[in-house]
Each structure stands twice: as C-alpha cells, then as structure tokens.
Amino acid sequence: MERNWKKELREILKKNNMSEEYIEETLEYTDDERGEPIVRTTIKTKNTEEVKKDLDVPSCWSILKNEEYVPAYVTAPQVPAGIYEICWNSNLNTHSIKKQPFKTDELYHLPSPEITDILTDIENFWNRADKYKTYNFIHKRGILMYGDPGCGKSGIIQLISQKLIERNGIVINLKDEEDVDRFTSFISTFRKVEPNRPLVVLLEDIDSIASENRYQTARLLNILDGVKQIEGVVYIATTNYPEKLQERITNRPSRFDRRYKVEVPNEEIRRAYIKHKLNDEDIKGIDIEEWVKRTEGMSLSHLKEVVISVIVMGRTFEETINNLEELAERPRIKGSGSVGFGK
C-alpha cells in the first residue's frame, strides 16, 4: 500500500510546532532508498516576500548543553546542491557558506582526451567509495591542471561542477589565502552536519595561494594530506605557472594524484567550439574551415573573441584576426624610453 508522505510530514511538522501552511509552500516530498520521507527546502516564486520575512523571524529552538535553548531560524537538513564560498558571519559570530552563481558560459564537453579522462576519473572515484573503505584508504582525490591561460581549464571546472551538482554535491571555491584559512577552520563542522555529501574543492590559480610562501603552503598541505583531511572530496587545482609551485605539491600523489596539461586546442577542438557557439544561420554565413585554419595556435579565449567580434559586434573576420595577432605582440612605447607628461 502506498504511503501518504504528505500526511506523515504534516504530523511531523505539527509535533515540532512548525507552520504547516508555510512548509507546504516551501518543501518538496520525496523518497530515499530507505523508504523514509525527506524534507527539501525550496523557495517558491509566488510567496518570495513572505518567505524572506519568515527567514528573519526565529521559528524554532537550538539545543545547547545543560538544557539550555536559544532561538533559531528556519532550518534545513542539507544545503541545496551548488557552488559555495565560506564566509564569516559577524552577526552570528560563526562561519557560513554562501551560494554563488553557477557560470555556464563555457559549459561544453569539447572532444578533448584530457577532458574525457578527467571526468571519467572523477566519476570512477565517486562510484568506488566502498573500495576505498575496504582497503582503508581515505576517500579523497586530487587533480592538478596546468597550461597556458585561456586554454579551457575554467571550462573543465564548469563541467566538473555540473556533474557534481547532478549528484546533489557541493562545490567550495577557495580563491585566496583567507579562504584557505576559513576552510581549515570550518570544514570539520561542515562534515559533522553533512558527513557523506560529495564535495569538490576548487583551487584555481593555486600558485597565487601557495608558491614561495612556506606558511600558506604548509596550511594547504595540511588540508590535502595532513591532519585536516576529510572523506568524500575531490580537490581541483589549476595553474598557468606550474614552475612556481613547490615540488612537494606537484610531485606527491597523495596530494595531487593526477596532473593534466591542458593544451592549446587542436583543429578538431577549434571546429567543435565554433560550431557549438554559432547557430545554423551563422554557420551558413561564414567559411568555417577558414576560421579553423586561421585560428591555429590560438586559445579558447581567442576563439571566443573571434565569435564575439565577428558575430556579435559585426566586425570582419580579417579585421578580427589582425587585431588578435597584434595583441600577441608585447606592447612597447616608441621613443627614448622616457615616460610622463611633457617628456
């Protein structure tokens, strides 16, 4: 006999003195593998102002030690899947995680063996958690991508993030030294609240976080394979300057198990990128083979500018190529070398 999840949930809400009307408008009712009801918090568009108002008003109690209670606000068993940054909430005097926009401007699986291998490796990692446990290994993985700027490392990160969000996972973005400190302080608390949540930690431009700075490098190593290690996590790091990284970061499998050089796009990748960005009408109006040939040696960022300049801005292809070739030349000031007004 099919269980009436909504009826059972109403009884739970009633026991906890929670508003049935509000919850019905902001929760979903689903099943999990154990056949138990799950409450998923959502915000419906039609009562957004009411929801915002309710979030500012205490609605339940947090239980402290020694039978002490403090007012609490609307709670959720887990944060929604997405990309987050760790913040410090000065009003509550505690760390929090704040959801960030998910950029999808370069979200496309290009025909690159590096991309396919990275996605496959991560997928296998998530599917083999039991194997890690069987052999008493910490369930974590580290991937380091390096290569020239604009060759697609950020696009690969978008693909990885999308795949994780589809798994109901969390992406935490660490941009600088302060973020590393916050992560070190907060991640144990996060794992107590959500011990099994799939987690990806982004370390874009890792050379700016830990290069010659021995203190920050030590903090980072503490996260990767020191006392601050956690389960169920993939660390994704990128750099345009691998030579700036210390060998104890780049040449230690327990820290970054796989290294990938993201190359300048070849002919096949350039053609696929152009076809992906243009619609059928656009393609009819250009010589795509000429575009592919004339953009040899250019990065994906250059290809993006070709599309924007020609298709969006209405410039000629020839003018655009000439401009990109000029950009490749290092700017210099003509004359004696003196600078300043009146020189």
Side-chain angles (χ1 to χ4, degrees):
M1 181 178 179
E2 186 176 355
R3 297 172 68 178
N4 189 332
W5 297 120
K6 185 172 291 189
K7 181 179 179 181
E8 292 186 21
L9 183 57
R10 283 173 175 161
E11 292 175 356
I12 294 173
L13 299 177
K14 186 176 180 180
K15 289 179 182 179
N16 288 274
N17 296 317
M18 297 180 72
S19 168
E20 180 178 317
E21 179 180 358
Y22 167 72
I23 293 297
E24 284 191 357
E25 292 179 350
T26 60
L27 294 184
E28 297 174 354
Y29 313 94
T30 60
D31 300 349
D32 70 0
E33 296 177 353
R34 299 167 298 177
E36 298 177 356
I38 295 178
V39 180
R40 296 188 188 277
T41 57
T42 60
I43 296 179
K44 302 293 185 181
T45 54
K46 70 175 184 177
N47 280 321
T48 301
E49 293 305 318
E50 181 181 345
V51 170
K52 288 181 179 178
K53 181 180 177 182
D54 286 349
L55 290 175
D56 292 332
V57 178
S59 62
C60 51
W61 295 96
S62 288
I63 304 173
L64 306 180
K65 295 181 179 179
N66 301 322
E67 296 189 23
E68 185 178 356
Y69 301 84
V70 295
Y73 298 83
V74 176
T75 60
Q78 61 176 211
V79 295
I83 300 177
Y84 289 82
E85 290 183 358
I86 300 175
C87 307
W88 176 256
N89 190 310
S90 56
N91 293 327
L92 299 176
N93 198 33
T94 186
H95 287 99
S96 63
I97 56 174
K98 184 175 180 61
K99 197 170 187 180
Q100 303 297 310
F102 181 28
K103 297 179 181 179
T104 59
D105 55 321
E106 297 299 327
L107 186 58
Y108 176 59
H109 189 163
L110 292 164
S112 161
E114 291 86 6
I115 294 177
T116 300
D117 196 24
I118 291 171
L119 295 179
T120 300
D121 188 78
I122 294 175
E123 186 70 16
N124 286 339
F125 169 78
W126 295 126
N127 293 335
R128 293 175 179 267
D130 291 342
K131 285 284 188 180
Y132 276 80
K133 186 175 182 180
T134 298
Y135 289 94
N136 199 29
F137 290 129
I138 294 178
H139 187 224
K140 70 180 184 66
R141 196 75 168 151
I143 292 175
L144 174 64
M145 295 185 287
Y146 65 98
D148 292 336
C151 287
K153 296 184 289 295
S154 295
I156 296 174
I157 284 177
Q158 289 182 15
L159 282 170
I160 294 171
S161 300
Q162 181 196 43
K163 295 290 185 182
L164 184 73
I165 290 172
E166 290 173 354
R167 279 184 170 270
N168 194 34
I170 295 295
V171 179
I172 295 181
N173 187 22
L174 306 184
K175 308 184 301 303
D176 51 35
E177 297 175 2
E178 187 177 19
D179 284 348
V180 172
D181 290 340
R182 288 172 175 170
F183 180 86
T184 304
S185 302
F186 177 70
I187 194 58
S188 60
T189 300
F190 178 90
R191 271 297 180 235
K192 289 175 183 176
V193 179
E194 301 201 36
N196 301 313
R197 197 77 179 274
L199 184 65
V200 161
V201 177
L202 301 180
L203 295 156
E204 289 196 76
D205 299 320
I206 188 176
D207 53 279
S208 67
I209 300 175
S211 52
E212 300 304 321
N213 186 322
R214 292 183 176 273
Y215 171 73
Q216 281 302 329
T217 299
R219 295 295 298 271
L220 188 59
L221 297 181
N222 208 23
I223 293 172
L224 295 173
D225 67 352
V227 296
K228 290 292 184 177
Q229 290 184 92
I230 58 173
E231 300 268 0
V233 60
V234 178
Y235 295 98
I236 306 291
T238 69
T239 179
N240 299 328
Y241 309 102
E243 67 277 3
K244 291 185 177 182
L245 296 175
Q246 297 180 23
E247 190 173 0
R248 56 180 176 160
I249 291 180
T250 61
N251 191 25
R252 184 77 173 269
S254 63
R255 291 162 184 169
F256 290 107
D257 312 289
R258 302 291 300 274
R259 293 186 305 184
Y260 294 90
K261 184 177 182 180
V262 182
E263 304 275 6
V264 171
N266 60 25
E267 180 180 309
E268 180 186 10
I269 294 175
R270 296 199 305 277
R271 183 180 292 105
Y273 180 88
I274 293 168
K275 286 184 176 180
H276 170 68
K277 287 296 184 181
L278 272 55
N279 58 41
D280 293 339
E281 195 64 29
D282 294 331
I283 292 175
K284 290 178 182 179
I286 70 167
D287 184 344
I288 191 170
E289 293 308 316
E290 181 186 11
W291 279 38
V292 172
K293 181 180 179 180
R294 296 285 300 278
T295 55
E296 183 178 359
M298 293 187 179
S299 68
L300 290 177
S301 293
H302 288 95
L303 289 175
K304 180 180 178 180
E305 173 56 25
V306 171
V307 173
I308 292 174
S309 183
V310 177
I311 303 301
V312 180
M313 299 297 295
R315 296 179 179 272
T316 66
F317 177 71
E318 194 66 33
E319 180 184 7
T320 299
I321 292 297
N322 290 337
N323 180 61
L324 290 174
E325 290 174 348
E326 291 176 2
L327 287 175
E329 300 177 3
R330 185 182 297 273
R332 55 183 180 273
I333 300 174
K334 295 181 181 180
S336 63
S338 298
V339 296
F341 294 105
K343 298 288 188 178

